[in-house]
Amino acid sequence: MLNKVVRSMATMLVGFLLVFLPESAMGLIIRVVGAAFFLPALISAIRLYMSRNQVDTMRLIAIAVIDLGSMVFGVWLMVAPTTFAELFITLLGIALLVFAVFQVFVVYSAQKYRPMHWGFLITPFLLAVAAIIVLANPFGTLEAVSVMLGICAIVSGLSDLVISIIAGKKAGTDVEVISNK
């Protein structure tokens, strides 16, 4: 039960960091993800080097290329998190724009079978506006996304905490935050 409480508190802490320090917290999260790419790839590369005589050449090359790619990607995330975040937000804007155009095409294609109300074009229009905003101001969008993720993390952590307390009372084992019994 204590594990759930600690997990809930950690989730809420990350959420508060994302809300109150959006740029710093997002950079830290991207760096941690970079380390999560780099370290396992490094360990795999070391293990591969140690067992190089036992692995066939093609498999050795394939695994080495994958490890090298993961390490390079991880280093990039750790060294330049804002560049990655800006690129990611830009790709998100492009995807939104493509999806908006696709939605207009779907509404237009549906006209062949049944007359469609102009209201069906509201969603593609809003998606296109969102895409333009994202593409015009990726850093502002990054902060907004960070704050939204932070709010979601706070609500999720609080919800998990309440559920743990309620479940503990129903099961007859109250949650003890201080001691680990």
Side-chain angles (χ1 to χ4, degrees), residues 128-161:
V129 168
I132 291 168
I133 290 170
V134 166
L135 291 171
N137 186 9
F139 281 117
T141 305
L142 179 62
E143 287 186 18
V145 168
S146 180
V147 170
M148 285 188 292
L149 286 173
I151 291 170
C152 290
I154 292 168
V155 170
S156 175
L158 191 59
S159 174
D160 282 349
L161 183 64

Short mmCIF file of all heavy atoms in Angstrom, two decimals, residues 128-161:
data_model
loop_
_atom_site.label_atom_id
_atom_site.label_comp_id
_atom_site.label_asym_id
_atom_site.label_seq_id
_atom_site.Cartn_x
_atom_site.Cartn_y
_atom_site.Cartn_z
N ALA A 128 -6.95 22.72 -38.21
CA ALA A 128 -6.04 23.55 -39.02
C ALA A 128 -5.58 24.78 -38.24
O ALA A 128 -4.41 25.15 -38.29
CB ALA A 128 -6.73 23.95 -40.32
N VAL A 129 -6.48 25.40 -37.50
CA VAL A 129 -6.12 26.55 -36.68
C VAL A 129 -5.11 26.13 -35.62
O VAL A 129 -4.09 26.82 -35.40
CB VAL A 129 -7.37 27.21 -36.04
CG1 VAL A 129 -6.99 28.21 -34.98
CG2 VAL A 129 -8.22 27.85 -37.12
N ALA A 130 -5.36 25.00 -34.95
CA ALA A 130 -4.42 24.50 -33.94
C ALA A 130 -3.06 24.21 -34.57
O ALA A 130 -2.02 24.54 -33.98
CB ALA A 130 -4.98 23.25 -33.28
N ALA A 131 -3.05 23.64 -35.75
CA ALA A 131 -1.79 23.34 -36.44
C ALA A 131 -1.02 24.61 -36.76
O ALA A 131 0.20 24.68 -36.56
CB ALA A 131 -2.06 22.55 -37.72
N ILE A 132 -1.72 25.64 -37.21
CA ILE A 132 -1.06 26.91 -37.53
C ILE A 132 -0.48 27.55 -36.27
O ILE A 132 0.65 28.05 -36.27
CB ILE A 132 -2.04 27.85 -38.26
CG1 ILE A 132 -2.33 27.28 -39.65
CG2 ILE A 132 -1.48 29.26 -38.34
CD1 ILE A 132 -3.48 27.94 -40.37
N ILE A 133 -1.24 27.49 -35.18
CA ILE A 133 -0.74 28.04 -33.91
C ILE A 133 0.50 27.28 -33.46
O ILE A 133 1.49 27.88 -33.04
CB ILE A 133 -1.84 28.00 -32.83
CG1 ILE A 133 -2.94 29.02 -33.17
CG2 ILE A 133 -1.27 28.28 -31.44
CD1 ILE A 133 -4.18 28.89 -32.30
N VAL A 134 0.45 25.96 -33.53
CA VAL A 134 1.60 25.13 -33.12
C VAL A 134 2.81 25.43 -33.99
O VAL A 134 3.92 25.58 -33.49
CB VAL A 134 1.23 23.63 -33.18
CG1 VAL A 134 2.46 22.76 -33.08
CG2 VAL A 134 0.25 23.29 -32.07
N LEU A 135 2.61 25.54 -35.30
CA LEU A 135 3.73 25.79 -36.20
C LEU A 135 4.27 27.21 -36.07
O LEU A 135 5.47 27.44 -36.24
CB LEU A 135 3.32 25.51 -37.65
CG LEU A 135 3.06 24.04 -37.97
CD1 LEU A 135 2.45 23.90 -39.36
CD2 LEU A 135 4.33 23.23 -37.85
N ALA A 136 3.42 28.16 -35.72
CA ALA A 136 3.86 29.54 -35.58
C ALA A 136 4.60 29.79 -34.27
O ALA A 136 5.47 30.66 -34.21
CB ALA A 136 2.65 30.49 -35.69
N ASN A 137 4.26 29.05 -33.22
CA ASN A 137 4.86 29.30 -31.91
C ASN A 137 5.15 27.99 -31.19
O ASN A 137 4.47 27.64 -30.22
CB ASN A 137 3.92 30.19 -31.08
CG ASN A 137 4.53 30.62 -29.78
OD1 ASN A 137 5.70 30.42 -29.53
ND2 ASN A 137 3.70 31.21 -28.93
N PRO A 138 6.17 27.25 -31.63
CA PRO A 138 6.42 25.94 -31.01
C PRO A 138 6.82 26.01 -29.54
O PRO A 138 6.45 25.16 -28.75
CB PRO A 138 7.54 25.34 -31.86
CG PRO A 138 8.08 26.43 -32.68
CD PRO A 138 7.07 27.52 -32.73
N PHE A 139 7.58 27.06 -29.14
CA PHE A 139 8.00 27.15 -27.73
C PHE A 139 6.81 27.44 -26.82
O PHE A 139 6.71 26.88 -25.74
CB PHE A 139 9.09 28.20 -27.54
CG PHE A 139 10.43 27.70 -27.94
CD1 PHE A 139 11.12 28.29 -28.98
CD2 PHE A 139 11.01 26.63 -27.29
CE1 PHE A 139 12.36 27.83 -29.36
CE2 PHE A 139 12.26 26.15 -27.66
CZ PHE A 139 12.93 26.76 -28.70
N GLY A 140 5.92 28.32 -27.25
CA GLY A 140 4.71 28.59 -26.46
C GLY A 140 3.85 27.35 -26.35
O GLY A 140 3.26 27.07 -25.30
N THR A 141 3.77 26.60 -27.45
CA THR A 141 3.01 25.36 -27.45
C THR A 141 3.64 24.35 -26.50
O THR A 141 2.93 23.64 -25.78
CB THR A 141 2.95 24.78 -28.87
OG1 THR A 141 2.41 25.77 -29.75
CG2 THR A 141 2.09 23.54 -28.92
N LEU A 142 4.97 24.29 -26.48
CA LEU A 142 5.66 23.35 -25.59
C LEU A 142 5.33 23.64 -24.13
O LEU A 142 5.07 22.73 -23.35
CB LEU A 142 7.17 23.42 -25.82
CG LEU A 142 8.03 22.52 -24.95
CD1 LEU A 142 7.69 21.06 -25.22
CD2 LEU A 142 9.49 22.78 -25.21
N GLU A 143 5.33 24.92 -23.77
CA GLU A 143 4.99 25.27 -22.40
C GLU A 143 3.53 24.92 -22.09
O GLU A 143 3.23 24.43 -21.01
CB GLU A 143 5.26 26.74 -22.15
CG GLU A 143 6.73 27.05 -22.04
CD GLU A 143 7.01 28.49 -21.64
OE1 GLU A 143 6.09 29.16 -21.13
OE2 GLU A 143 8.15 28.93 -21.84
N ALA A 144 2.64 25.17 -23.04
CA ALA A 144 1.23 24.84 -22.83
C ALA A 144 1.04 23.33 -22.67
O ALA A 144 0.30 22.88 -21.79
CB ALA A 144 0.38 25.36 -23.99
N VAL A 145 1.72 22.55 -23.51
CA VAL A 145 1.64 21.10 -23.40
C VAL A 145 2.20 20.64 -22.06
O VAL A 145 1.64 19.76 -21.40
CB VAL A 145 2.39 20.42 -24.58
CG1 VAL A 145 2.57 18.94 -24.35
CG2 VAL A 145 1.64 20.66 -25.88
N SER A 146 3.30 21.25 -21.64
CA SER A 146 3.91 20.91 -20.36
C SER A 146 2.95 21.16 -19.21
O SER A 146 2.79 20.33 -18.31
CB SER A 146 5.20 21.70 -20.17
OG SER A 146 5.80 21.39 -18.95
N VAL A 147 2.30 22.31 -19.23
CA VAL A 147 1.34 22.64 -18.16
C VAL A 147 0.16 21.67 -18.18
O VAL A 147 -0.28 21.19 -17.14
CB VAL A 147 0.87 24.11 -18.29
CG1 VAL A 147 -0.29 24.40 -17.36
CG2 VAL A 147 2.04 25.06 -18.00
N MET A 148 -0.34 21.34 -19.39
CA MET A 148 -1.46 20.39 -19.47
C MET A 148 -1.06 19.02 -18.95
O MET A 148 -1.82 18.38 -18.22
CB MET A 148 -1.97 20.29 -20.91
CG MET A 148 -2.78 21.48 -21.34
SD MET A 148 -3.58 21.27 -22.95
CE MET A 148 -2.19 21.24 -24.04
N LEU A 149 0.14 18.56 -19.32
CA LEU A 149 0.62 17.27 -18.80
C LEU A 149 0.78 17.32 -17.28
O LEU A 149 0.48 16.35 -16.59
CB LEU A 149 1.96 16.90 -19.45
CG LEU A 149 1.92 16.42 -20.89
CD1 LEU A 149 3.34 16.26 -21.43
CD2 LEU A 149 1.16 15.13 -21.02
N GLY A 150 1.25 18.45 -16.78
CA GLY A 150 1.39 18.62 -15.33
C GLY A 150 0.06 18.54 -14.61
O GLY A 150 -0.06 17.87 -13.58
N ILE A 151 -0.95 19.21 -15.14
CA ILE A 151 -2.28 19.16 -14.53
C ILE A 151 -2.81 17.73 -14.55
O ILE A 151 -3.36 17.25 -13.55
CB ILE A 151 -3.24 20.14 -15.25
CG1 ILE A 151 -2.81 21.59 -14.95
CG2 ILE A 151 -4.69 19.90 -14.84
CD1 ILE A 151 -3.53 22.63 -15.79
N CYS A 152 -2.62 17.04 -15.68
CA CYS A 152 -3.06 15.64 -15.76
C CYS A 152 -2.33 14.77 -14.75
O CYS A 152 -2.94 13.89 -14.12
CB CYS A 152 -2.83 15.10 -17.17
SG CYS A 152 -3.92 15.81 -18.41
N ALA A 153 -1.02 15.01 -14.57
CA ALA A 153 -0.25 14.22 -13.60
C ALA A 153 -0.72 14.49 -12.17
O ALA A 153 -0.83 13.56 -11.37
CB ALA A 153 1.24 14.53 -13.73
N ILE A 154 -1.02 15.74 -11.85
CA ILE A 154 -1.52 16.07 -10.51
C ILE A 154 -2.84 15.38 -10.25
O ILE A 154 -3.05 14.76 -9.21
CB ILE A 154 -1.64 17.60 -10.34
CG1 ILE A 154 -0.25 18.25 -10.34
CG2 ILE A 154 -2.39 17.95 -9.05
CD1 ILE A 154 -0.28 19.77 -10.46
N VAL A 155 -3.76 15.49 -11.22
CA VAL A 155 -5.08 14.86 -11.06
C VAL A 155 -4.93 13.34 -10.96
O VAL A 155 -5.57 12.70 -10.12
CB VAL A 155 -6.01 15.26 -12.23
CG1 VAL A 155 -7.29 14.44 -12.22
CG2 VAL A 155 -6.34 16.75 -12.15
N SER A 156 -4.08 12.76 -11.79
CA SER A 156 -3.87 11.31 -11.75
C SER A 156 -3.27 10.87 -10.42
O SER A 156 -3.72 9.88 -9.83
CB SER A 156 -2.94 10.90 -12.90
OG SER A 156 -2.64 9.54 -12.83
N GLY A 157 -2.26 11.58 -9.94
CA GLY A 157 -1.65 11.24 -8.66
C GLY A 157 -2.62 11.37 -7.51
O GLY A 157 -2.68 10.52 -6.62
N LEU A 158 -3.40 12.45 -7.52
CA LEU A 158 -4.40 12.65 -6.47
C LEU A 158 -5.46 11.57 -6.51
O LEU A 158 -5.86 11.02 -5.48
CB LEU A 158 -5.03 14.04 -6.62
CG LEU A 158 -5.88 14.54 -5.49
CD1 LEU A 158 -5.07 14.61 -4.19
CD2 LEU A 158 -6.44 15.92 -5.82
N SER A 159 -5.89 11.22 -7.71
CA SER A 159 -6.88 10.16 -7.88
C SER A 159 -6.35 8.82 -7.37
O SER A 159 -7.04 8.10 -6.65
CB SER A 159 -7.28 10.05 -9.35
OG SER A 159 -8.12 8.96 -9.57
N ASP A 160 -5.10 8.48 -7.72
CA ASP A 160 -4.50 7.24 -7.24
C ASP A 160 -4.38 7.22 -5.72
O ASP A 160 -4.62 6.20 -5.08
CB ASP A 160 -3.10 7.05 -7.84
CG ASP A 160 -3.14 6.56 -9.27
OD1 ASP A 160 -4.23 6.16 -9.74
OD2 ASP A 160 -2.08 6.58 -9.93
N LEU A 161 -4.03 8.37 -5.15
CA LEU A 161 -3.90 8.47 -3.70
C LEU A 161 -5.25 8.23 -3.01
O LEU A 161 -5.35 7.44 -2.07
CB LEU A 161 -3.33 9.83 -3.31
CG LEU A 161 -3.07 10.07 -1.83
CD1 LEU A 161 -2.00 9.11 -1.33
CD2 LEU A 161 -2.65 11.51 -1.60
#
